[in-house]
Amino acid sequence: MDIKQLKFLIALDETRHFGQAAARCHITQPTLSMRLRNLEEELDLPLVNRGQRFEGFTAPGERVLAWARSVMAAYDGLQAEAAACRGNLIGTLRLGVVPLSSFDPLPLMQRLHAAHPNLRFEMSALSSEQILEHLANNRIDIGVSYLDRLDHERFDSQAFSETRMGLLYDQRSFTFGDAPLSWAALIELPLGMLTSGMHFRQSIDHNFHSRGLTPLPLLQTDAVHQLLQAVHGGFCCAIMPLDGGLEKLTDHLRLQPIENAQTLAPLGLIMRRGAPRSALAEACFALYQKSPAAS
């Protein structure tokens, strides 16, 4: 057994296709199949359900896959730790971010990349539950998520400043004055919202319901980019984080403050507390502590 076989197994899980997994690993499909069969023979377990195409993993295969991810995370962490001991950071910082986070990760990534040019970044949009699960399984290094249900014995965190909300709209379709908008005024507007159950939507609903208001969204979606497209097209307005920089996406968007509009729970950076600790996550935490946003 070697590291490459585990990489092949993980690539097959992520692509769900033998040919695409082989291409990702820069080998031929017959070589991929042969190496995976060698792994099965060594473990004396069937790992992959094979037909004319990939048909998923066996039950033992799913368990071996989980171990393969842990081994690869430890291997990558070892490489990053060794580089950190030499005063450099290498590898890929894996970042998970909840939808409509008020935190803009770009300045942090720019500073890390300037200090460590060999560092790469991988960013995923995940729910708050997925972020904790991925951190626990060492599938991401850093999470940007809500801190209200965080287990502080398992995770370290850095809280951000309070998340305020505003109304995002296209100035070609809507016009408002300079004063902050009231929640009662928003009820009369065509609103686009994330679907119920998403954390940011829960904060919006709470702000309406606590004032005896019931919104009737014109559009609901679980995709932030679709919501932004609808706003930019003048189809609706949307309640968004006030400091997320969304109004800078085009010259026509504007973000108007809303009176007394905050999210229910604080948002922050999260990393796992237990070993193995990610050297990349620790560097990210340390850099954020020194940034103006943390003060």
Side-chain angles (χ1 to χ4, degrees):
M1 185 188 307
D2 60 38
I3 289 293
K4 287 185 178 180
Q5 286 172 301
L6 302 184
K7 287 183 178 179
F8 300 160
L9 196 68
I10 293 170
L12 183 59
D13 176 48
E14 292 178 347
T15 62
R16 317 299 288 183
H17 189 279
F18 286 107
Q20 292 177 16
R24 175 181 290 192
C25 298
H26 307 290
I27 59 173
T28 64
Q29 182 172 330
T31 299
L32 177 85
S33 297
M34 179 190 68
R35 296 300 304 277
L36 292 179
R37 287 190 185 278
N38 290 344
L39 181 61
E40 290 176 315
E41 291 172 2
E42 182 173 348
L43 296 175
D44 194 21
L45 286 172
L47 303 179
V48 180
N49 291 317
R50 294 176 176 86
Q52 292 184 342
R53 61 191 62 171
F54 175 71
E55 296 181 356
F57 291 94
T58 64
E62 293 285 355
R63 297 178 67 174
V64 170
L65 179 63
W67 278 103
R69 289 191 178 280
S70 296
V71 171
M72 286 306 306
Y75 175 81
D76 292 340
L78 174 62
Q79 297 288 342
E81 188 70 31
C85 291
R86 298 192 300 268
N88 190 22
L89 291 181
I90 63 171
T92 301
L93 177 67
R94 302 163 300 170
L95 182 68
V97 183
V98 292
L100 293 186
S101 164
S102 60
F103 175 70
D104 182 3
L106 182 58
L108 194 60
M109 292 191 295
Q110 288 174 327
R111 293 177 64 190
L112 280 168
H113 186 61
H116 308 281
N118 292 322
L119 192 60
R120 297 293 179 262
F121 303 88
E122 180 180 296
M123 190 155 48
S124 305
L126 302 169
S127 69
S128 53
E129 293 80 7
Q130 287 174 322
I131 284 176
L132 296 182
E133 178 185 344
H134 282 45
L135 283 170
N137 295 335
N138 221 351
R139 296 182 66 175
I140 60 175
D141 302 296
I142 287 284
V144 175
S145 186
Y146 299 96
L147 307 180
D148 52 336
R149 293 188 292 270
L150 189 66
D151 183 348
H152 293 281
E153 292 185 358
R154 300 177 62 200
F155 302 102
D156 286 329
S157 64
Q158 291 267 349
F160 301 150
S161 58
E162 186 177 62
T163 300
R164 298 177 299 141
M165 302 185 207
L167 185 74
L168 187 71
Y169 63 93
D170 192 295
Q171 297 181 84
R172 296 170 297 182
S173 302
F174 300 93
T175 302
F176 303 102
D178 295 328
L181 299 170
S182 69
W183 286 95
L186 300 183
I187 279 290
E188 306 299 326
L189 299 174
L191 292 177
M193 295 186 184
L194 293 178
T195 50
S196 298
M198 300 184 77
H199 215 300
F200 193 78
R201 171 65 186 273
Q202 292 173 10
S203 292
I204 294 173
D205 288 344
H206 173 77
N207 276 281
F208 275 121
H209 295 159
S210 65
R211 294 168 174 84
L213 303 170
T214 302
L216 296 173
L218 176 63
L219 170 68
Q220 297 187 76
T221 176
D222 61 358
V224 174
H225 73 277
Q226 291 178 341
L227 190 54
L228 292 175
Q229 286 176 337
V231 171
H232 185 254
F235 183 67
C236 61
C237 308
I239 300 169
M240 296 287 193
L242 191 60
D243 301 316
L246 295 173
E247 75 279 10
K248 299 175 184 177
L249 293 176
T250 77
D251 294 335
H252 303 296
L253 292 179
R254 184 174 178 187
L255 198 52
Q256 189 87 357
I258 303 171
E259 293 177 348
N260 301 316
Q262 294 85 29
T263 55
L264 289 172
L267 198 73
L269 280 182
I270 306 172
M271 70 174 173
R272 60 181 287 162
R273 173 167 285 190
R277 292 269 286 194
S278 167
L280 303 185
E282 290 179 340
C284 187
F285 256 54
L287 188 60
Y288 177 73
Q289 287 179 319
K290 298 177 183 177
S291 69
S295 59

